[in-house]
Amino acid sequence: AQTVTQSQPEMSVQEAETVTLSCTYDTSESNYYLFWYKQPPSRQMILVIRQEAYKQQNATENRFSVNFQKAAKSFSLKISDSQLGDTAMYFCALTYGGSQGNLIFGKGTKLSVKP
Amino acid sequence: EAQVTQNPRYLITVTGKKLTVTCSQNMNHEYMSWYRQDPGLGLRQIYYSMNVEVTDKGDVPEGYKVSRKEKRNFPLILESPSPNQTSLYFCASGGGFPYEQYFGPGTRLTVT
């Protein structure tokens, strides 16, 4: 079975600082993809970043970057220069070749950015 | 604007009264799916569709039906809603594998 674990239910960070959200996963598949989704108070699920398991290079999208440690099955999200608009729930998710597109989500980390 | 739309956004209904939540996407995506989000359980897939007339069960399909008669639409049907179906529902669509999925705004359903 594939699992995704987010061990930090809540975190807070000061505006303009950097924060790292943790995610570990378990899969026996070799062809898989990892995602981070953001859910602000509006409840919209917004794709933040994705990582292909076969790529060694860590994905980056503006202020968002990941630290993908394949052997450790770890996929953390780093947010640089945190902004008030980054306040949201963040979900780590996994999909793989045989999953028919099913995204397996972690339970989320609630991030609060404080002014 | 590329988007996934859902209607209604909020719905309060009573046990046993059939309802349909509509979902439409304008990105010409082949893949569409429905998820429900519950506190402490995260998001779980209900049904998915790989293309027109091709649907299959996700992790929690009991009590739900879907249809995919057109590429852009993927309605979720609750024939006889029950209180345990009170939840936040999301429709999503995606292109080719890994079906990088884009979500609709969500539908908050309350069944009394």
Side-chain angles (χ1 to χ4, degrees):
Chain A
Q2 333 295 320
T3 59
V4 176
T5 303
Q6 294 178 250
S7 59
Q8 305 152 313
E10 293 193 42
M11 295 186 72
S12 65
V13 63
Q14 292 296 129
E15 197 175 7
E17 293 188 347
T18 295
V19 64
T20 298
L21 309 183
S22 301
C23 172
T24 58
Y25 62 93
D26 192 21
T27 180
S28 56
E29 302 289 330
S30 58
N31 180 24
Y32 62 91
Y33 292 74
L34 295 158
F35 304 88
W36 279 98
Y37 280 87
K38 169 185 176 181
Q39 187 177 41
S42 66
R43 304 176 320 185
Q44 177 78 45
M45 291 290 289
I46 302 166
L47 178 63
V48 175
I49 201 166
R50 90 177 205 184
Q51 175 76 44
E52 294 87 340
Y54 61 85
K55 287 188 177 179
Q56 291 186 332
Q57 186 173 4
N58 289 326
T60 299
E61 288 287 342
N62 301 314
R63 298 183 295 107
F64 298 88
S65 61
V66 299
N67 183 6
F68 175 47
Q69 300 289 324
K70 192 171 182 178
K73 295 184 177 176
S74 170
F75 182 61
S76 60
L77 175 69
K78 185 172 83 171
I79 307 174
S80 304
D81 186 26
S82 297
Q83 301 175 359
L84 296 177
D86 294 334
T87 292
M89 283 288 289
Y90 287 82
F91 292 94
C92 180
L94 162 75
T95 193
Y96 58 95
S99 72
Q100 304 301 330
N102 188 7
L103 282 167
I104 299 161
F105 285 89
K107 292 194 168 37
T109 295
K110 184 177 182 180
L111 177 67
S112 299
V113 180
K114 301 185 185 306
Chain B
E1 179 189 356
Q3 60 181 350
V4 179
T5 57
Q6 294 178 229
N7 282 292
R9 296 287 310 279
Y10 301 89
L11 180 58
I12 301 173
T13 189
V14 296
T15 299
K17 186 176 181 181
K18 181 180 179 179
L19 67 92
T20 299
V21 183
T22 65
C23 173
S24 183
Q25 52 95 3
N26 63 1
M27 295 170 278
N28 201 35
H29 285 159
E30 293 180 346
Y31 186 90
M32 297 186 74
S33 62
W34 278 101
Y35 293 84
R36 60 178 288 174
Q37 183 179 19
D38 302 291
L41 296 176
L43 286 94
R44 296 173 293 167
Q45 192 181 56
I46 303 170
Y47 267 95
Y48 65 92
S49 170
M50 304 287 280
N51 213 327
V52 176
E53 302 291 1
V54 180
T55 64
D56 208 344
K57 297 176 181 178
D59 294 327
V60 288
E62 294 77 21
Y64 304 95
K65 285 177 58 177
V66 293
S67 68
R68 186 94 180 271
K69 293 182 170 38
E70 304 168 281
K71 196 172 187 179
R72 62 184 292 125
N73 296 324
F74 190 45
L76 179 69
I77 303 158
L78 285 72
E79 296 263 357
S80 182
S82 63
N84 65 11
Q85 292 179 299
T86 292
S87 188
L88 178 59
Y89 291 86
F90 287 99
C91 179
S93 74
F97 185 80
Y99 308 116
E100 187 173 286
Q101 292 178 52
Y102 297 90
F103 284 75
T107 295
R108 171 72 70 185
L109 172 65
T110 302
V111 183
T112 62

